[in-house]
Amino acid sequence: MSDLNNRRLEIDALRAIWAIRHHGGITRAAEALGLSQSAVSHKIKRLETSLGCELLNRKAGATAFTTEGEELLDYAGRILGLHDEALLSLSKTTLAGRIALGLTEDTTCSALAHILGRFRRLHPDVSVRTQVRMSLVLRAMLEQGELDAAIVQVFAHEVRPTDVILFRETLHWVKHPSLLLPQSTSVPFLSFHDDCFYRHWALDIGQDGGIMLETVFECSSAAGIIAAVSSGMGVALLNERHLRPEMQIITDRFPVPPDLVYVVRRGRKVRNAALDTLVAEIESEISRYGGLALAS
């Protein structure tokens, strides 16, 4: 027992190791958390000293975490969740009302699901109705007043001053290495369906460089597009998280796609105390973890 009394799982250190997992390394975790790389390394080293084991593999080519590190990550997620929920519970105010919320498919499997679940436990008198649609549809629903807020993808130049930025990402043209692109005829294009703003950009602005795209495959899900690219059926626009080792990023001939940003966007005239609280909790989560992890 005395040994346990001398050992600590510091919340800041757990948050650092959690950020390393979700941001893909110490450098990116440090940037996301607003810390120096040495500060993050120091937190992890101090945690390793306290626990008496190594948590990170420091050999080139090795997996990021040791067996002990992977085991701790499971506990870290639960500990941080309970820690943050306890703080919110002690500072919560009584809320009631309704929120009409829109989500994209990939955000339903992200850290946002955890935040929404916690929000419901803390505020049982608030009814949250969630609709899952593609970003372009959700943006139209916001404009029409059908939603109070939505988590959507936009191009970086479309971010509004009132948007809450959750995650930034790069968009790429990709294909399978075995696919040879024709020089004089149209290029086979693997497209999300007509409600996808990637598709609109590709078929409009994206062709200004003289590339003619012929849509040969349409699918509403990222999984379908990924499978089609991996099978060598054509080229596609995919965001960073959906890239696979067997894919080749196209760096010539095609116009450079704009960067992507995931944002919380509110309806223009929405005044809702429950929504204010939910958005504030999402912003607080971002500040603690340096962004939200989204599904790949």
Side-chain angles (χ1 to χ4, degrees):
M1 180 64 70
S2 60
D3 183 47
L4 286 178
N5 289 337
N6 292 327
R7 301 163 77 186
R8 296 287 185 273
L9 290 173
E10 296 180 1
I11 291 297
D12 286 348
L14 293 179
R15 216 177 292 285
I17 197 169
W18 193 252
I20 291 170
R21 157 56 57 83
H22 287 288
H23 294 286
I26 292 179
T27 301
R28 290 184 180 179
E31 291 174 356
L33 294 172
L35 300 171
S36 67
Q37 185 173 338
S38 60
V40 172
S41 297
H42 178 68
K43 289 179 185 295
I44 301 302
K45 191 62 181 175
R46 188 166 60 187
L47 183 58
E48 289 177 326
T49 300
S50 174
L51 296 176
C53 63
E54 290 191 351
L55 303 172
L56 298 180
N57 276 318
R58 294 173 173 84
K59 297 178 181 179
T63 56
F65 295 93
T66 63
T67 302
E68 292 82 0
E70 291 287 354
E71 185 176 355
L72 179 62
L73 278 167
D74 181 50
Y75 288 106
R78 287 182 279 167
I79 291 168
L80 290 169
L82 286 172
H83 173 272
D84 295 345
E85 185 171 327
L87 290 180
L88 288 168
S89 179
L90 293 171
S91 60
K92 71 181 179 184
T93 56
T94 302
L95 288 176
R98 295 177 180 274
I99 299 174
L101 183 67
L103 297 178
T104 56
E105 183 180 3
D106 48 358
T107 57
T108 60
C109 301
S110 71
L112 286 166
H114 166 72
I115 296 172
L116 291 172
R118 183 179 66 198
F119 183 85
R120 182 172 183 175
R121 292 193 298 273
L122 294 176
H123 309 288
D125 293 328
V126 177
S127 171
V128 181
R129 183 191 176 194
T130 303
Q131 298 188 58
V132 179
R133 301 285 190 277
M134 297 193 78
S135 288
L136 208 58
V137 176
L138 293 175
R139 285 150 66 177
M141 293 174 73
L142 280 172
E143 294 298 325
Q144 295 162 11
E146 298 175 21
L147 294 173
D148 296 320
I151 286 83
V152 296
Q153 273 186 331
V154 298
F155 289 134
H157 61 270
E158 297 174 325
V159 174
R160 297 174 181 173
T162 53
D163 289 340
V164 177
I165 296 175
L166 303 180
F167 189 83
R168 297 180 184 272
E169 200 166 30
T170 305
L171 189 63
H172 298 283
W173 290 103
V174 296
K175 70 179 187 70
H176 192 272
S178 65
L179 177 67
L180 300 178
L181 299 181
Q183 296 295 322
S184 57
T185 58
S186 57
V187 174
F189 180 48
L190 313 174
S191 171
F192 292 97
H193 61 61
D194 197 47
D195 290 328
C196 176
F197 67 106
Y198 298 8
R199 172 192 176 108
H200 287 203
W201 180 86
L203 296 179
D204 295 335
I205 301 173
Q207 294 193 76
D208 287 349
I211 301 295
M212 292 301 298
L213 299 175
E214 178 187 0
T215 303
V216 298
F217 182 85
E218 291 187 20
C219 182
S220 61
S221 74
I225 299 295
I226 291 168
V229 172
S230 299
S231 299
M233 293 176 59
V235 303
L237 281 167
L238 283 176
N239 44 351
E240 191 88 31
R241 288 172 299 107
H242 291 137
L243 300 187
R244 299 294 184 265
E246 67 273 14
M247 295 179 184
Q248 177 185 355
I249 296 175
I250 304 170
T251 57
D252 58 355
R253 290 186 60 190
F254 287 77
V256 179
D259 287 338
L260 296 171
V261 184
Y262 282 83
V263 301
V264 181
R265 178 166 291 179
R266 300 176 62 148
R268 293 184 184 274
K269 298 181 180 179
V270 175
R271 296 293 181 270
N272 184 325
L275 179 61
D276 291 343
T277 301
L278 175 58
V279 173
E281 290 188 13
I282 293 173
E283 288 187 282
S284 179
E285 194 91 358
I286 294 168
S287 68
R288 287 193 295 268
Y289 295 102
L292 294 178
L294 300 179
S296 344

